[in-house]
Amino acid sequence: MQTLATVKVWDPLVRIFHWGLVGSFAVAFLTAEDIRDVHEVAGYVAGGLIATRLVMGFAGSPYARFRQFLRSPVEVVSYLRSMIRHRDRRYIGHNPLGGLMVMVLILAMGGIALTGWLQTTDAYWGVEWVEELHEALANLMLGAVAVHLCGVVFESIRHNENLVAAMISGRKRAPAPGDVV
Amino acid sequence: MRAKDFLCSVRGLQGAVRKDGNNVLILLNKWRLAMKMILSTIVGTLLLAGAATASEKCRVPMTDWQPREALQTKLEGEGWKVRSIRSEDGCYEAYALNAKGEKVEAYFDPKTFVAVDMKSED
Ligand code: HEM
């Protein structure tokens, strides 16, 4: 029996944020057409989670910070190239492509929460473009989540680790030589 | 379970089926009945849900619909600030601020402009 060394990567707040967002998005999506009260509560929960995450992006634990995982377009493209050639290195935090996806997910969800709330204000009550933007962002989010899941599965297989379990326990296999810490 | 045990149990099962054809038939019938009940419940629920969504608040032939501008003019005459009017459930659905400044979502008969349903909040 061999026990593998692991390192802490995702702090508890990141994990609560993640699974809370999954839950609130799912509930909001399922109730969008006809259970308005539940839809609004789920939307506010998601909005609160996003606001918290934005703060964590600047002042959170090392792997939660935007500066840790937001890379330049050049780096993203070169990572994509290395992926195609099966040469991509293992990242302990988000890889450059994953980091980009994380930002898309956070911003899209923030935009959805914002345009949803706007529709309850006097100024934007019943204003059609806000409603249309809200729905378009929700559809974008749905597509992004699908790509996100594909990425998680792909990276898990590529580096022989269970990233979903890591987002639950917060721990990942200790870095090997060549991994990006 | 070892492969040999597995094979034995499969053979045993086949034997039982041959010897005890009647019991198997009874079981099969019970199974069919259960599936029928489950399926009919699902189909019934779907049909009911479909009927619920298809049930329209207003029933007016298209030729009798007044233009939505007419509804807008009427509501504005009553002091409403109309944000949008769309067709929904066979009615016109208007989002507006009423004369008291409350946010309203109201359904109107497209022929008579009688309010069929109205929700408001301030
Ligand atoms: C509505 C659905 C989802 C949304 C909006 C979402 C959003 C996010 C976000 C924003 C992050 C970045 C976490 C952070 O750094 O704060 C993330 C990471 C992650 N998500 Fe999701 N997620 C969703 C569904 C899922 C599901 C269903 C799974 C798995 C079954 C999953 C697995 C992961 C994993 C493993 C990571 C870490 C990726 C990495 O190792 O770089 N996500 N997700």
Side-chain angles (χ1 to χ4, degrees), chain A residues 135-146:
Chain A
E135 279 166 20
L137 283 172
N139 288 332
L140 176 91
M141 186 78 180
L142 223 51
V145 166

Side-chain angles (χ1 to χ4, degrees), chain A residues 141-153:
Chain A
M141 186 78 180
L142 223 51
V145 166
V147 176
H148 169 60
L149 291 181
C150 291
V152 167
V153 170

Side-chain angles (χ1 to χ4, degrees), chain A residues 90-91 155-163 172-173:
Chain A
R90 174 174 176 254
Y91 281 71
E155 287 299 313
S156 294
I157 293 171
R158 173 64 59 89
H159 299 296
N160 193 23
E161 63 182 338
N162 186 342
L163 290 177
K172 289 173 83 169
R173 192 173 72 228

